């Protein structure tokens, strides 16, 4: 049975546009290592990350091919929480794993059969290097945006360091890195081009932000009466963080209302979060409060 599974997997990989040999252990010469001293580790698993809202997921699904794959193959619409519970842990474990012990290539293989036809008749595949790299780019952007907005203003050198570390992270998936820019300056140009020329208001993305105006659904397991009370606070806060956490260009494409007054409130919140007293308090809290379990496991391993 094991041989049959391996044979089938190998055949599927051979049919994939991104079939690649196993990623090497350790970072390549043009990248930096991940570990306790890395900035990706410092920020990616920080529990304050909820402040960016669903920024990575919304932007990810604004790439038409990726949004179509989610629409055709995911339970995103019927059970959004289940999709997040299934997708996020292995991504965290890829970043916080060791060079020779992480689920990156298993994450890649989850996408072997995610392929189909676009409305215009063209074909898509989740492992197309351009598509797969965009998904990763949204998580890299999440780290950069979160740290620079809600923790501290990053220096240029820190942004370049995070980018060099992200190259090691991406290569753990074993997908062709031909779409990955050579350096942070290249990534900035790539990001701007994607926002200005490539992304669209795909149905999957508009669904993800639709709750901004109509209210968020009651989570499974929460009593209706409890949710009626909690939603009075949760809905406006979630809508504020969701909309404020998106790039202006994405807000425009998705038709999300955002006023100058809301922008000022958002920037005030960000400044408070970046303040020295708030960071001092946060840094003195226990690790179990500050980081998710995947980050804690990585730091414990060293």
């Amino acid at each position: 049975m094991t041989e049959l599974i391996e044979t089938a997997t190998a055949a599927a990989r051979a049919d994939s546009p991104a079939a690649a040999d196993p990623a090497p252990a350790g970072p390549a010469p043009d990248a930096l290592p991940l570990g306790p001293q890395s900035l990706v580790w410092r920020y990616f698993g920080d529990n304050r990350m909820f402040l960016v809202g669903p920024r990575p997921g919304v932007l990810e699904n604004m790439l038409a091919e990726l949004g179509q794959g989610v629409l055709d193959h995911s339970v995103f619409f019927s059970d959004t929480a289940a999709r997040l519970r299934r997708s996020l842990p292995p991504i965290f474990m890829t970043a916080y794993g060791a060079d020779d012990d992480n689920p990156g290539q298993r994450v890649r293989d989850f996408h072997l059969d995610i392929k189909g036809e676009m409305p215009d008749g063209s074909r898509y595949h989740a492992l197309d290097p351009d598509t797969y790299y965009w998904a990763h780019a949204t998580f890299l952007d999440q780290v950069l945006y979160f740290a620079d907005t809600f923790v501290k203003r990053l220096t240029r050198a820190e942004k370049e360091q995070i980018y060099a570390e992200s190259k090691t992270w991406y290569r753990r998936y074993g997908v062709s890195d031909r779409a990955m820019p050579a350096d942070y300056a290249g990534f900035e140009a790539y990001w701007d081009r994607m926002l200005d020329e490539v992304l669209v208001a795909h149905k999957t993305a508009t669904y993800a932000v639709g709750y901004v105006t109509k209210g968020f659904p009651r989570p499974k397991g929460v009593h209706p009466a409890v949710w009626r009370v909690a939603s009075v606070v949760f809905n406006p806060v979630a809508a504020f963080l969701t909309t404020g956490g998106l790039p202006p260009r994405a807000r425009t494409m998705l038709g999300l209302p955002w006023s100058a007054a809301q922008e000022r409130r958002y920037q005030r919140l960000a400044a408070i979060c970046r303040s020295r007293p708030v960071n001092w308090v946060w840094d003195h809290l226990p690790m179990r409060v500050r980081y998710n379990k995947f980050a804690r496991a990585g730091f414990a391993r060293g």
Side-chain angles (χ1 to χ4, degrees):
M1 177 62 75
T2 301
E3 292 177 353
L4 288 174
I5 293 173
E6 291 175 348
T7 300
T9 301
R13 286 189 58 199
D15 184 49
S16 162
D21 293 328
D30 65 336
L32 288 175
L34 294 169
Q37 303 307 313
S38 69
L39 295 181
V40 166
W41 272 33
R42 181 183 302 177
Y43 298 124
F44 186 44
D46 190 306
N47 281 328
R48 291 172 291 181
M49 189 65 79
F50 77 90
L51 290 167
V52 308
R55 177 183 174 105
V58 174
L59 293 174
E60 179 179 308
N61 289 320
M62 290 180 73
L63 181 66
E65 292 82 0
L66 205 155
Q68 193 66 37
V70 172
L71 180 63
D72 292 345
H73 296 274
S74 177
V75 298
F76 178 75
F77 290 91
S78 59
D79 195 343
T80 305
R83 197 234 177 186
L84 296 176
R85 286 195 300 269
R86 183 182 64 190
S87 300
L88 291 180
I91 294 172
F92 276 114
M93 289 186 289
T94 298
Y96 285 100
D99 287 321
D100 58 355
D101 184 17
N102 66 79
Q105 293 181 38
R106 294 198 300 275
V107 174
R108 173 201 64 199
D109 290 345
F110 293 158
H111 297 83
L112 289 169
D113 297 322
I114 307 301
K115 53 188 174 181
E117 187 172 294
M118 298 293 293
D120 64 3
S122 61
R123 304 290 297 176
Y124 72 84
H125 196 300
L127 292 184
D128 177 89
D130 293 306
T131 301
Y132 203 91
Y133 184 72
W134 173 248
H136 174 75
T138 63
F139 286 104
L140 165 59
D141 165 77
Q142 177 185 19
V143 174
L144 290 163
Y145 179 79
F146 160 69
D148 191 61
T149 305
F150 293 108
V151 182
K152 66 182 292 289
R153 290 305 192 190
L154 296 174
T155 65
R156 182 73 184 188
E158 288 171 327
K159 292 176 181 179
E160 290 173 347
Q161 178 181 337
I162 289 171
Y163 185 72
E165 293 166 359
S166 81
K167 297 177 81 172
T168 297
W169 177 10
Y170 182 68
R171 285 169 176 152
R172 289 180 174 182
Y173 294 114
V175 176
S176 167
D177 65 1
R178 68 167 172 78
M180 182 169 66
D183 53 27
Y184 180 65
F187 179 77
E188 287 183 302
Y190 162 83
W191 186 261
D192 289 343
R193 182 181 67 82
M194 294 296 290
L195 284 172
D196 293 339
E197 303 175 15
V198 179
L199 301 189
V200 298
H202 190 275
K203 177 181 179 180
T204 309
T206 57
Y207 174 86
V209 298
Y211 295 119
V212 166
T213 54
K214 65 184 180 183
F216 292 78
R218 177 177 60 88
K220 291 183 177 179
V222 176
H223 192 277
V226 174
W227 182 243
R228 280 195 296 272
V229 175
S231 63
V232 173
V233 175
F234 179 86
N235 278 331
V237 171
F240 180 73
L241 294 177
T242 295
T243 310
L246 288 172
R249 172 67 175 151
R251 276 188 223 127
T252 299
M253 283 191 282
L254 295 169
L256 293 176
W258 191 249
S259 67
Q262 287 174 307
E263 178 64 19
R264 288 193 295 271
R265 288 196 294 272
Y266 187 85
Q267 293 303 328
R268 283 198 296 270
L269 169 65
I272 291 170
C273 292
R274 289 195 308 271
S275 68
R276 183 173 298 177
V278 170
N279 272 297
W280 185 91
V281 170
W282 184 262
D283 290 342
H284 286 78
L285 294 174
M287 281 285 288
R288 68 178 182 277
V289 175
R290 293 163 52 208
Y291 285 99
N292 67 34
K293 64 181 181 181
F294 310 107
R296 296 199 306 272
F299 282 115
R301 188 185 64 250

